[in-house]
Amino acid sequence: MLEARARDDGGYVPTKFFNERGQSILLPREAARRIAEEKVKARQAEQKELEDRRQEESGDVEVAGEGECAPLQSDAPPGPMRQIFDLVAFSGVIEMRGKSDRERREQLQGWEKLMRRHRGRRAVRQFPHRLDSLRERFPNFARVVDAIEALVAVSSDLAHGLVVEPLLMVGPPGVGKTLFVEALAEAVGVDMASIPLGAAQGGFQVVGTSTHWSNSSPGQVWKLLASGDFANGVLLLDEIDKMSGDSRYSTESSLLDLLDPRTAKRFEDQAVDIAFDASALWKLATANELGTLSKPIKSRFEIVEIKPPTASELAEIYRRQWLAHCEGHPSAPELSRAVLERMASERISPREASRRLRFTLGAAIRDGLGRVDALFEIAGGSKKGARIGFVTE
């Protein structure tokens, strides 16, 4: 009957679209053809997307197993590659959580784009066997440098080329703990992220905020690996002795998962809602004291006491900072020994010293000085109320 009607209606054909009475809707033959072609194209596009995802997972080389390293890809940074993210699992998260929420789907797809770089893998940077420049620049951190060099030496003979242990540096404020960690990441050329555990939201910075919240966001651990290029970047857990919690999530429990090598291989971020491999990260923590830390937390770390540098060590730290600032300035002036000794007697922290030496260098270059015999001070910045310019005490 439909075929007869189609013939009578001059070029109309029945379709698979039905009205409320269950009758097939007739459309012009050309329109029906276009609709059929669009449906075929849509199916082909969907199949191609699925195939592309499978190819990205398999790649042109064999996918590395959990904790193993794969050959280097041309678009990746130097070093063997390590699988970090399960892209297939996250595709399922997108389909489940973004199916009826366009805004959420776009957010998840943005996170997927970051993880998909290098097919979900990150390079394993080969650390130098010797870190003498760090040892010379931070003489009071010699034991920490020794520990890192020892782990690098152990790693060099292993197939997967990687052994890391969490290190906790304990010492009074101002000895340069944070500055040392920053210098380490710069010296070896890896990504770095810092989590201030003394902040009220410290726990959420570790594991992110749940997708049940409208403003959910991944934590710093995920961001370091997703946005960075290296599986063994540096994660600074700053002021771990001051860590606070939230009634919705315990900072300590999230840290215990992160610091244990077994659970760190399947570390979970609440926002991303998948497990990923955070076991290769160098986890370096700082603390002023150990009294507030629980036994489980302390048991996860190799604890190294950082003593304040001696006056001579401080003078050497300042000298090297000065030389670093002078790089690229052919006419940079000489810094007198008297300035170094005066700074050491005042026990200026390395971070403050670096800042003040930079001002000193700039002012000396401006004034055409060949030798600096006094430190630059900004009015109100000195406890002695020095005027603007070089202090001549």
Side-chain angles (χ1 to χ4, degrees), residues 2 27 42 71 115 130 143 165 179 186 242 268 304 310 315 336 342 347 367:
L2 285 174
L27 289 176
M115 290 188 288
R130 300 288 300 182
R143 287 189 61 202
E165 292 287 348
L179 192 63
E186 181 179 0
K242 299 178 182 177
E268 293 190 19
V304 182
T310 64
S336 71
R342 190 177 305 124
R347 302 201 64 81
D367 296 341

Side-chain angles (χ1 to χ4, degrees), residues 106 138 177 191 280 321 385:
E106 291 177 351
F138 299 90
K177 299 186 291 293
D191 312 300
Q321 288 179 329

